[in-house]
Amino acid sequence: MESTTLPTLLLGGDTDAAPEETYAAWGAALALPGVHGLMVGRSLLYPPHGGDVTQAVDTAADLVHGR
């Protein structure tokens, strides 16, 4: 991210990490200048271990909107 001034959306990617680790990584990335959002798929829509999709979406929205 240090090499561009363009606005960026981050691809969430698949992960085997615990959801808290994934959200922490997303939060750290969103704190970088120029990063304006996330593009996530399975990691959000199919949380590991049968997690709550609504909670996962709410957490991601909170991260993006700085709540």
Side-chain angles (χ1 to χ4, degrees):
M1 292 308 307
E2 292 177 2
S3 64
T4 185
T5 58
L6 296 174
T8 303
L9 296 176
L10 295 177
L11 179 62
D14 290 334
T15 180
D16 290 330
E20 296 78 20
E21 293 175 28
T22 301
Y23 302 142
W26 290 351
L30 286 163
L32 297 171
V35 178
H36 295 278
L38 298 169
M39 294 179 61
V40 295
R42 289 182 297 250
S43 295
L44 191 65
L45 297 176
Y46 302 102
H49 312 297
D52 182 359
V53 175
T54 302
Q55 181 61 43
V57 170
D58 287 345
T59 300
D62 289 346
L63 288 169
V64 169
H65 296 289
R67 293 182 252 179

